[in-house]
Amino acid sequence: MSNPLKIAALVSGSGSNLQVMIDGMQAGRLPIQIVGVISNNADAYANTRTTQAGIELALLSHTQSGKRMSMATFEKHALAQIQDWSPDLVVLAGFMRVLSADFIESVPCPIINLHPSLLPHYKGLNTHARVLASGERYHGCSVHLVTAELDAGKVLTQANLATHAGETADQLAKRVQRLEHQLVPLTLTMMASGLIDAVNTSNSQIDLPLRLWFD
Ligand code: GRF
């Protein structure tokens, strides 16, 4: 097997996608090494998942005086931490703040994000409710490169599903989340093996985006 892909993850919330990465790494199913996790939320369950797995957690939510950290301060510390860990890839695994162009350009490796829609459609928040309100027949999730423009970087992979008549946004969100839990490990495996080259996407050995149907 090729060298594991060294990953730093940024999280804000539940961290179910982080857990999928941790499980795959620990079971030897995924060719990755999570070198550290940065959280901007002291209450995030992702923090517990990180420490329970014995992975280094950098909690950057408040300053020493107890004040909530500004985004600029968060980015300054997060960049220093990433430089220290020196990962091959940064994964935004449910990171809920918008990163500045300066930060994105300063990070010395590609950054990918998981977004709950079939980009370029439905950028931003509340995707499931908006998809249902528009009567879309199809929905899904995307893994894309992070650039300064929100949810607009090159799409690497997508997983599609058909919407069901009468389903609620919560039901749809749960089905999309199950897709995410399959799409993330698949995408990381393809990156680790070189099938997808995130540094120079035109060097990838497959046509991007890779579009998959899971149900
Ligand atoms: C996912 O639905 C992802 O699409 C979005 O944030 C959510 C994170 O969920 N960017 P979790 O924290 O991995 O459970």
Side-chain angles (χ1 to χ4, degrees):
M1 193 164 72
S2 49
N3 285 339
L5 197 62
K6 283 171 65 184
I7 291 175
L10 266 64
V11 298
S12 305
S14 128
S16 67
N17 286 282
L18 174 69
Q19 189 68 55
V20 168
M21 296 196 296
I22 290 171
D23 292 347
M25 174 180 78
Q26 290 183 335
R29 279 192 308 271
L30 270 182
I32 64 170
Q33 182 197 357
I34 305 172
V35 291
V37 173
I38 298 173
S39 169
N40 72 331
N41 176 7
D43 300 323
Y45 188 57
N47 305 352
T48 307
R49 298 184 195 270
T50 302
T51 49
Q52 276 178 353
I55 296 168
E56 187 176 344
L57 173 71
L59 176 58
L60 305 176
S61 62
H62 291 80
T63 61
Q64 271 179 355
S65 65
K67 246 178 53 189
R68 199 173 155 69
M69 218 178 251
S70 69
M71 204 49 196
T73 308
F74 170 86
E75 287 186 343
K76 189 176 116 204
H77 292 300
L79 183 60
Q81 185 63 81
I82 290 168
Q83 283 163 342
D84 187 42
W85 285 333
S86 187
D88 303 314
L89 180 71
V90 169
V91 178
L92 306 186
F95 183 71
M96 299 311 287
R97 297 292 300 270
V98 176
L99 294 163
S100 72
D102 270 356
F103 175 84
I104 292 165
E105 279 153 25
S106 304
V107 169
C109 64
I111 308 174
I112 60 169
N113 180 45
L114 173 63
H115 182 77
S117 80
L118 298 175
L119 290 172
H121 308 292
Y122 299 97
K123 296 174 179 170
L125 298 173
N126 302 321
T127 57
H128 312 298
R130 288 191 286 135
V131 160
L132 290 177
S134 303
E136 299 285 357
R137 292 179 57 205
Y138 302 106
H139 185 38
C141 51
S142 308
V143 175
H144 67 96
L145 288 177
V146 173
T147 56
E149 198 186 334
L150 187 68
D151 298 333
K154 173 118 185 134
V155 178
L156 304 177
T157 57
Q158 289 187 322
N160 298 249
L161 52 67
T163 55
H164 293 164
E167 76 180 322
T168 65
D170 279 352
Q171 288 166 336
L172 184 55
K174 284 200 179 72
R175 291 204 296 130
V176 171
Q177 193 170 50
R178 283 202 293 275
L179 284 198
E180 293 181 344
H181 295 168
Q182 297 173 78
L183 188 65
V184 166
L186 187 74
T187 307
L188 294 176
T189 302
M190 289 195 292
M191 293 177 86
S193 71
L195 278 178
I196 294 176
D197 185 337
V199 176
N200 183 351
T201 51
S202 58
N203 282 345
S204 299
Q205 293 168 40
I206 52 171
D207 289 337
L208 300 177
L210 179 72
R211 295 199 175 88
L212 303 151
W213 284 90
F214 281 112
D215 62 349

PDB file of all heavy atoms in Angstrom, residues 114-119 139-143 155 157-161 176-181 183 214:
ATOM      1  N   LEU A 114     -16.862  18.805   2.432  1.00  0.00           N
ATOM      2  CA  LEU A 114     -18.001  17.944   2.141  1.00  0.00           C
ATOM      3  C   LEU A 114     -19.228  18.835   2.192  1.00  0.00           C
ATOM      4  O   LEU A 114     -19.460  19.506   3.205  1.00  0.00           O
ATOM      5  CB  LEU A 114     -18.061  16.875   3.229  1.00  0.00           C
ATOM      6  CG  LEU A 114     -19.245  15.946   3.239  1.00  0.00           C
ATOM      7  CD1 LEU A 114     -19.269  15.116   1.961  1.00  0.00           C
ATOM      8  CD2 LEU A 114     -19.152  15.027   4.455  1.00  0.00           C
ATOM      9  N   HIS A 115     -20.001  18.847   1.095  1.00  0.00           N
ATOM     10  CA  HIS A 115     -21.171  19.733   1.047  1.00  0.00           C
ATOM     11  C   HIS A 115     -22.425  18.922   0.737  1.00  0.00           C
ATOM     12  O   HIS A 115     -22.418  18.108  -0.191  1.00  0.00           O
ATOM     13  CB  HIS A 115     -20.963  20.819  -0.018  1.00  0.00           C
ATOM     14  CG  HIS A 115     -22.100  21.785  -0.071  1.00  0.00           C
ATOM     15  ND1 HIS A 115     -22.267  22.789   0.867  1.00  0.00           N
ATOM     16  CD2 HIS A 115     -23.164  21.867  -0.904  1.00  0.00           C
ATOM     17  CE1 HIS A 115     -23.369  23.457   0.591  1.00  0.00           C
ATOM     18  NE2 HIS A 115     -23.931  22.925  -0.470  1.00  0.00           N
ATOM     19  N   PRO A 116     -23.523  19.182   1.474  1.00  0.00           N
ATOM     20  CA  PRO A 116     -24.717  18.355   1.288  1.00  0.00           C
ATOM     21  C   PRO A 116     -25.614  18.813   0.139  1.00  0.00           C
ATOM     22  O   PRO A 116     -26.787  19.147   0.340  1.00  0.00           O
ATOM     23  CB  PRO A 116     -25.424  18.475   2.649  1.00  0.00           C
ATOM     24  CG  PRO A 116     -25.042  19.832   3.136  1.00  0.00           C
ATOM     25  CD  PRO A 116     -23.651  20.093   2.624  1.00  0.00           C
ATOM     26  N   SER A 117     -25.075  18.837  -1.070  1.00  0.00           N
ATOM     27  CA  SER A 117     -25.891  19.060  -2.277  1.00  0.00           C
ATOM     28  C   SER A 117     -25.069  18.627  -3.478  1.00  0.00           C
ATOM     29  O   SER A 117     -23.868  18.375  -3.372  1.00  0.00           O
ATOM     30  CB  SER A 117     -26.279  20.537  -2.443  1.00  0.00           C
ATOM     31  OG  SER A 117     -25.207  21.268  -3.004  1.00  0.00           O
ATOM     32  N   LEU A 118     -25.748  18.569  -4.610  1.00  0.00           N
ATOM     33  CA  LEU A 118     -25.054  18.272  -5.870  1.00  0.00           C
ATOM     34  C   LEU A 118     -24.557  19.596  -6.441  1.00  0.00           C
ATOM     35  O   LEU A 118     -25.232  20.254  -7.235  1.00  0.00           O
ATOM     36  CB  LEU A 118     -26.013  17.566  -6.841  1.00  0.00           C
ATOM     37  CG  LEU A 118     -26.532  16.215  -6.353  1.00  0.00           C
ATOM     38  CD1 LEU A 118     -27.580  15.646  -7.316  1.00  0.00           C
ATOM     39  CD2 LEU A 118     -25.379  15.215  -6.194  1.00  0.00           C
ATOM     40  N   LEU A 119     -23.376  20.015  -6.003  1.00  0.00           N
ATOM     41  CA  LEU A 119     -22.814  21.288  -6.477  1.00  0.00           C
ATOM     42  C   LEU A 119     -22.650  21.230  -8.002  1.00  0.00           C
ATOM     43  O   LEU A 119     -22.397  20.160  -8.547  1.00  0.00           O
ATOM     44  CB  LEU A 119     -21.452  21.525  -5.802  1.00  0.00           C
ATOM     45  CG  LEU A 119     -21.525  21.846  -4.309  1.00  0.00           C
ATOM     46  CD1 LEU A 119     -20.128  21.868  -3.698  1.00  0.00           C
ATOM     47  CD2 LEU A 119     -22.236  23.176  -4.053  1.00  0.00           C
ATOM     48  N   HIS A 139     -30.940  14.651  -5.503  1.00  0.00           N
ATOM     49  CA  HIS A 139     -30.174  15.416  -4.507  1.00  0.00           C
ATOM     50  C   HIS A 139     -28.946  14.566  -4.170  1.00  0.00           C
ATOM     51  O   HIS A 139     -28.745  13.491  -4.756  1.00  0.00           O
ATOM     52  CB  HIS A 139     -31.072  15.634  -3.279  1.00  0.00           C
ATOM     53  CG  HIS A 139     -30.487  16.496  -2.191  1.00  0.00           C
ATOM     54  ND1 HIS A 139     -29.716  17.597  -2.430  1.00  0.00           N
ATOM     55  CD2 HIS A 139     -30.616  16.420  -0.825  1.00  0.00           C
ATOM     56  CE1 HIS A 139     -29.384  18.158  -1.267  1.00  0.00           C
ATOM     57  NE2 HIS A 139     -29.905  17.454  -0.285  1.00  0.00           N
ATOM     58  N   GLY A 140     -28.125  15.021  -3.224  1.00  0.00           N
ATOM     59  CA  GLY A 140     -26.955  14.228  -2.869  1.00  0.00           C
ATOM     60  C   GLY A 140     -25.925  15.061  -2.154  1.00  0.00           C
ATOM     61  O   GLY A 140     -26.252  16.038  -1.475  1.00  0.00           O
ATOM     62  N   CYS A 141     -24.661  14.681  -2.312  1.00  0.00           N
ATOM     63  CA  CYS A 141     -23.579  15.393  -1.629  1.00  0.00           C
ATOM     64  C   CYS A 141     -22.349  15.426  -2.528  1.00  0.00           C
ATOM     65  O   CYS A 141     -22.226  14.612  -3.455  1.00  0.00           O
ATOM     66  CB  CYS A 141     -23.267  14.730  -0.286  1.00  0.00           C
ATOM     67  SG  CYS A 141     -22.991  12.957  -0.384  1.00  0.00           S
ATOM     68  N   SER A 142     -21.472  16.363  -2.218  1.00  0.00           N
ATOM     69  CA  SER A 142     -20.278  16.576  -3.050  1.00  0.00           C
ATOM     70  C   SER A 142     -19.053  16.740  -2.163  1.00  0.00           C
ATOM     71  O   SER A 142     -19.135  17.339  -1.087  1.00  0.00           O
ATOM     72  CB  SER A 142     -20.418  17.880  -3.865  1.00  0.00           C
ATOM     73  OG  SER A 142     -21.630  17.929  -4.580  1.00  0.00           O
ATOM     74  N   VAL A 143     -17.916  16.250  -2.661  1.00  0.00           N
ATOM     75  CA  VAL A 143     -16.616  16.592  -2.072  1.00  0.00           C
ATOM     76  C   VAL A 143     -15.920  17.501  -3.080  1.00  0.00           C
ATOM     77  O   VAL A 143     -15.796  17.149  -4.254  1.00  0.00           O
ATOM     78  CB  VAL A 143     -15.760  15.333  -1.798  1.00  0.00           C
ATOM     79  CG1 VAL A 143     -14.372  15.749  -1.302  1.00  0.00           C
ATOM     80  CG2 VAL A 143     -16.440  14.422  -0.780  1.00  0.00           C
ATOM     81  N   VAL A 155     -15.259  20.296  -8.130  1.00  0.00           N
ATOM     82  CA  VAL A 155     -15.915  19.145  -7.505  1.00  0.00           C
ATOM     83  C   VAL A 155     -15.135  17.883  -7.879  1.00  0.00           C
ATOM     84  O   VAL A 155     -14.845  17.640  -9.047  1.00  0.00           O
ATOM     85  CB  VAL A 155     -17.387  19.028  -7.957  1.00  0.00           C
ATOM     86  CG1 VAL A 155     -18.033  17.800  -7.340  1.00  0.00           C
ATOM     87  CG2 VAL A 155     -18.160  20.287  -7.558  1.00  0.00           C
ATOM     88  N   THR A 157     -15.890  14.528  -6.298  1.00  0.00           N
ATOM     89  CA  THR A 157     -16.804  13.374  -6.318  1.00  0.00           C
ATOM     90  C   THR A 157     -18.196  13.817  -5.867  1.00  0.00           C
ATOM     91  O   THR A 157     -18.332  14.772  -5.101  1.00  0.00           O
ATOM     92  CB  THR A 157     -16.319  12.266  -5.354  1.00  0.00           C
ATOM     93  OG1 THR A 157     -16.203  12.812  -4.037  1.00  0.00           O
ATOM     94  CG2 THR A 157     -14.986  11.686  -5.782  1.00  0.00           C
ATOM     95  N   GLN A 158     -19.190  13.071  -6.345  1.00  0.00           N
ATOM     96  CA  GLN A 158     -20.569  13.331  -5.924  1.00  0.00           C
ATOM     97  C   GLN A 158     -21.295  12.014  -5.762  1.00  0.00           C
ATOM     98  O   GLN A 158     -21.057  11.077  -6.521  1.00  0.00           O
ATOM     99  CB  GLN A 158     -21.322  14.139  -6.986  1.00  0.00           C
ATOM    100  CG  GLN A 158     -20.862  15.567  -7.072  1.00  0.00           C
ATOM    101  CD  GLN A 158     -21.712  16.402  -7.991  1.00  0.00           C
ATOM    102  OE1 GLN A 158     -22.147  15.931  -9.043  1.00  0.00           O
ATOM    103  NE2 GLN A 158     -21.938  17.642  -7.614  1.00  0.00           N
ATOM    104  N   ALA A 159     -22.197  11.964  -4.786  1.00  0.00           N
ATOM    105  CA  ALA A 159     -23.077  10.808  -4.626  1.00  0.00           C
ATOM    106  C   ALA A 159     -24.514  11.294  -4.771  1.00  0.00           C
ATOM    107  O   ALA A 159     -24.898  12.286  -4.151  1.00  0.00           O
ATOM    108  CB  ALA A 159     -22.863  10.157  -3.265  1.00  0.00           C
ATOM    109  N   ASN A 160     -25.272  10.609  -5.610  1.00  0.00           N
ATOM    110  CA  ASN A 160     -26.634  11.029  -5.954  1.00  0.00           C
ATOM    111  C   ASN A 160     -27.670  10.122  -5.320  1.00  0.00           C
ATOM    112  O   ASN A 160     -27.445   8.916  -5.172  1.00  0.00           O
ATOM    113  CB  ASN A 160     -26.854  10.914  -7.466  1.00  0.00           C
ATOM    114  CG  ASN A 160     -25.938  11.807  -8.270  1.00  0.00           C
ATOM    115  OD1 ASN A 160     -26.361  12.752  -8.880  1.00  0.00           O
ATOM    116  ND2 ASN A 160     -24.645  11.495  -8.261  1.00  0.00           N
ATOM    117  N   LEU A 161     -28.821  10.687  -5.025  1.00  0.00           N
ATOM    118  CA  LEU A 161     -29.994   9.869  -4.676  1.00  0.00           C
ATOM    119  C   LEU A 161     -31.236  10.537  -5.254  1.00  0.00           C
ATOM    120  O   LEU A 161     -31.214  11.709  -5.635  1.00  0.00           O
ATOM    121  CB  LEU A 161     -30.113   9.674  -3.157  1.00  0.00           C
ATOM    122  CG  LEU A 161     -30.089  10.860  -2.208  1.00  0.00           C
ATOM    123  CD1 LEU A 161     -31.295  11.768  -2.341  1.00  0.00           C
ATOM    124  CD2 LEU A 161     -30.023  10.356  -0.767  1.00  0.00           C
ATOM    125  N   VAL A 176     -29.002  11.619   3.035  1.00  0.00           N
ATOM    126  CA  VAL A 176     -27.799  12.224   2.440  1.00  0.00           C
ATOM    127  C   VAL A 176     -26.591  11.957   3.344  1.00  0.00           C
ATOM    128  O   VAL A 176     -25.492  11.676   2.860  1.00  0.00           O
ATOM    129  CB  VAL A 176     -28.001  13.744   2.203  1.00  0.00           C
ATOM    130  CG1 VAL A 176     -26.685  14.408   1.802  1.00  0.00           C
ATOM    131  CG2 VAL A 176     -29.052  13.977   1.128  1.00  0.00           C
ATOM    132  N   GLN A 177     -26.814  12.001   4.649  1.00  0.00           N
ATOM    133  CA  GLN A 177     -25.693  11.751   5.551  1.00  0.00           C
ATOM    134  C   GLN A 177     -25.142  10.328   5.377  1.00  0.00           C
ATOM    135  O   GLN A 177     -23.927  10.106   5.424  1.00  0.00           O
ATOM    136  CB  GLN A 177     -26.104  11.983   6.995  1.00  0.00           C
ATOM    137  CG  GLN A 177     -24.892  12.043   7.906  1.00  0.00           C
ATOM    138  CD  GLN A 177     -25.234  12.512   9.297  1.00  0.00           C
ATOM    139  OE1 GLN A 177     -26.156  11.998   9.920  1.00  0.00           O
ATOM    140  NE2 GLN A 177     -24.506  13.499   9.788  1.00  0.00           N
ATOM    141  N   ARG A 178     -26.056   9.375   5.139  1.00  0.00           N
ATOM    142  CA  ARG A 178     -25.571   7.998   4.896  1.00  0.00           C
ATOM    143  C   ARG A 178     -24.715   7.945   3.624  1.00  0.00           C
ATOM    144  O   ARG A 178     -23.743   7.195   3.551  1.00  0.00           O
ATOM    145  CB  ARG A 178     -26.755   7.025   4.804  1.00  0.00           C
ATOM    146  CG  ARG A 178     -27.345   6.674   6.170  1.00  0.00           C
ATOM    147  CD  ARG A 178     -28.112   5.363   6.128  1.00  0.00           C
ATOM    148  NE  ARG A 178     -29.315   5.453   5.317  1.00  0.00           N
ATOM    149  CZ  ARG A 178     -30.499   5.903   5.766  1.00  0.00           C
ATOM    150  NH1 ARG A 178     -30.630   6.274   7.017  1.00  0.00           N
ATOM    151  NH2 ARG A 178     -31.535   5.975   4.955  1.00  0.00           N
ATOM    152  N   LEU A 179     -25.097   8.757   2.638  1.00  0.00           N
ATOM    153  CA  LEU A 179     -24.277   8.829   1.410  1.00  0.00           C
ATOM    154  C   LEU A 179     -22.912   9.430   1.717  1.00  0.00           C
ATOM    155  O   LEU A 179     -21.886   8.966   1.216  1.00  0.00           O
ATOM    156  CB  LEU A 179     -24.941   9.725   0.366  1.00  0.00           C
ATOM    157  CG  LEU A 179     -26.126   9.246  -0.431  1.00  0.00           C
ATOM    158  CD1 LEU A 179     -26.295  10.133  -1.656  1.00  0.00           C
ATOM    159  CD2 LEU A 179     -25.933   7.814  -0.862  1.00  0.00           C
ATOM    160  N   GLU A 180     -22.916  10.480   2.538  1.00  0.00           N
ATOM    161  CA  GLU A 180     -21.642  11.133   2.894  1.00  0.00           C
ATOM    162  C   GLU A 180     -20.686  10.131   3.528  1.00  0.00           C
ATOM    163  O   GLU A 180     -19.487  10.145   3.246  1.00  0.00           O
ATOM    164  CB  GLU A 180     -21.892  12.283   3.874  1.00  0.00           C
ATOM    165  CG  GLU A 180     -22.659  13.431   3.268  1.00  0.00           C
ATOM    166  CD  GLU A 180     -22.895  14.586   4.233  1.00  0.00           C
ATOM    167  OE1 GLU A 180     -22.743  14.402   5.456  1.00  0.00           O
ATOM    168  OE2 GLU A 180     -23.223  15.669   3.761  1.00  0.00           O
ATOM    169  N   HIS A 181     -21.237   9.270   4.361  1.00  0.00           N
ATOM    170  CA  HIS A 181     -20.389   8.309   5.081  1.00  0.00           C
ATOM    171  C   HIS A 181     -19.779   7.272   4.134  1.00  0.00           C
ATOM    172  O   HIS A 181     -18.835   6.574   4.515  1.00  0.00           O
ATOM    173  CB  HIS A 181     -21.194   7.625   6.192  1.00  0.00           C
ATOM    174  CG  HIS A 181     -21.615   8.588   7.261  1.00  0.00           C
ATOM    175  ND1 HIS A 181     -22.530   8.291   8.221  1.00  0.00           N
ATOM    176  CD2 HIS A 181     -21.208   9.871   7.506  1.00  0.00           C
ATOM    177  CE1 HIS A 181     -22.703   9.340   9.019  1.00  0.00           C
ATOM    178  NE2 HIS A 181     -21.909  10.305   8.598  1.00  0.00           N
ATOM    179  N   LEU A 183     -19.249   8.308   0.695  1.00  0.00           N
ATOM    180  CA  LEU A 183     -18.489   9.107  -0.274  1.00  0.00           C
ATOM    181  C   LEU A 183     -17.141   9.553   0.295  1.00  0.00           C
ATOM    182  O   LEU A 183     -16.134   9.573  -0.425  1.00  0.00           O
ATOM    183  CB  LEU A 183     -19.316  10.337  -0.692  1.00  0.00           C
ATOM    184  CG  LEU A 183     -18.719  11.146  -1.834  1.00  0.00           C
ATOM    185  CD1 LEU A 183     -18.683  10.327  -3.131  1.00  0.00           C
ATOM    186  CD2 LEU A 183     -19.502  12.449  -2.067  1.00  0.00           C
ATOM    187  N   PHE A 214     -25.776   5.653  -5.101  1.00  0.00           N
ATOM    188  CA  PHE A 214     -25.689   4.687  -4.024  1.00  0.00           C
ATOM    189  C   PHE A 214     -27.018   4.021  -3.715  1.00  0.00           C
ATOM    190  O   PHE A 214     -27.079   3.078  -2.979  1.00  0.00           O
ATOM    191  CB  PHE A 214     -25.132   5.323  -2.744  1.00  0.00           C
ATOM    192  CG  PHE A 214     -23.642   5.472  -2.766  1.00  0.00           C
ATOM    193  CD1 PHE A 214     -23.047   6.705  -2.821  1.00  0.00           C
ATOM    194  CD2 PHE A 214     -22.842   4.348  -2.729  1.00  0.00           C
ATOM    195  CE1 PHE A 214     -21.663   6.839  -2.822  1.00  0.00           C
ATOM    196  CE2 PHE A 214     -21.453   4.475  -2.736  1.00  0.00           C
ATOM    197  CZ  PHE A 214     -20.874   5.720  -2.781  1.00  0.00           C
TER     198      PHE A 214
END
